[in-house]
Amino acid sequence: MRLLLTGSSGWLGRFLAPRLRAQEHEVVGLDVAPGADTGIVGSVADKALVDRVFAEHGIEAVIHAGALHKPDIARYPKQAFIDVNLTGTLNLLAAAVAAGNDRFVFTSTTSLMISETIRAGKAGGATRAAWLTEDFGPLEPRNIYGVTKRAAEQLCALIHREHGLPIVILRTGRFFLEEDDTHRDLSGENIKANEFLNRRLTVEDAAEAHLAALAKAPALGLETFIISAPPPFAPDEAEALLHNAPAVIIRHFPEAAELYARRGWLLPAQIDRVYDPTRAERLMGFRCGTDFAAVLGAIEKDEPLPFAHDPNYVSPKEIGEMERC
């Protein structure tokens, strides 16, 4: 299958492209930054370019993983998010419909599910951790990133209703490898390890989820899935997670405190949200392979951690910007 992969130079794209080729897909990479898997340098916001790529390469399916992300809020105006995340998505959807494609995979984000109220947790008056499934709502994204990704999801739903294009929307949890841009109370690796309890996955699992979505899209029609490592908790633990997360964690993993102490790490004092990815397993047959137990196993065996962390990582598009300046 001749497949257009947007964001092909990015962190996800560089893992996804080789896996697609291993399944004998012909991958056409489109990104604003050059890269090993990027054959076309340009923006999805450029409709003429998108239409030309479809016409010249005979595109049969799309994985739309390119976007401006949350850290970009500090670097780009709101209009840029609208141009790339919203108009760019519409350009791709329209081209896919015109080409008669039978599948479209859209990389969305769990971030759009988090309102300021959820983020505030106990300080905002919450009494329990938010247990988040695909049916959670109303959705009140708290920044331009979340707003544009939510609007792009709604565009996907509109195009499916109007034209029948099968679309799978993947609300992925965190899989970035750089430092968190808002939290500095723990080391980067400690933060990432903790997030496997409720909101993180590896980039390898993110890539595999996209492969599963690509294969299942024609049969699914229109579906939205949360993609995150399976949490060890149950909904009836949500209150305790917000007020005394370590006690709940140790109940599931008695060895966690001692293993964390080896590294000088701390368990989270509270967990304000839990993403539940069971729908993806039930309807798409996909389950992340790396979870919190795998993190503890690596520590116990003194093996490399099963996730990537690079505090010095700079995205390819930002490298390009710095070089142009």
Side-chain angles (χ1 to χ4, degrees), residues 99-255:
N101 287 185
D102 70 346
R103 65 198 74 196
F104 189 106
V105 179
F106 175 58
T107 310
S108 190
T109 173
T110 53
S111 178
L112 64 81
M113 303 176 73
I114 305 304
S115 65
E116 289 292 352
T117 300
I118 292 175
R119 190 181 187 193
K122 286 192 294 185
T127 59
R128 56 193 291 114
W131 195 270
L132 300 169
T133 71
E134 293 83 355
D135 296 324
F136 174 80
L139 298 178
E140 299 175 348
R142 66 185 187 277
N143 54 42
I144 189 64
Y145 171 53
V147 166
T148 52
K149 293 299 271 189
R150 177 57 181 149
E153 286 188 354
Q154 293 172 315
L155 276 178
C156 287
L158 176 65
I159 295 301
H160 172 76
R161 290 195 302 269
E162 291 182 344
H163 301 282
L165 175 64
I167 304 172
V168 175
I169 298 166
L170 300 181
R171 289 181 182 168
T172 60
R174 292 180 158 203
F175 58 85
F176 57 80
L177 76 166
E178 62 264 41
E179 294 281 7
D180 188 286
D181 66 334
T182 55
H183 301 290
R184 292 287 185 269
D185 52 337
L186 301 174
S187 72
E189 287 186 334
N190 190 168
I191 291 174
K192 285 181 170 64
N194 288 352
E195 288 174 344
F196 275 91
L197 288 161
N198 67 316
R199 62 185 302 195
R200 179 168 282 274
L201 69 159
T202 65
V203 67
E204 293 87 351
D205 279 336
E208 292 301 323
H210 283 72
L211 294 178
L214 184 70
K216 295 286 187 179
L220 290 170
L222 175 69
E223 284 289 349
T224 299
F225 297 110
I226 289 171
I227 305 297
S228 188
F233 313 119
D236 61 7
E237 295 175 295
E239 183 175 352
L241 284 171
L242 187 64
H243 295 281
N244 189 1
V248 184
I249 296 165
I250 291 170
R251 185 162 65 238
H252 288 272
F253 303 99
E255 73 280 20

Side-chain angles (χ1 to χ4, degrees), residues 11-24:
W11 179 232
L12 174 60
R14 71 183 70 173
F15 283 84
L16 188 48
R19 284 165 165 76
L20 289 165
R21 288 196 297 269
Q23 292 191 350
E24 300 186 350

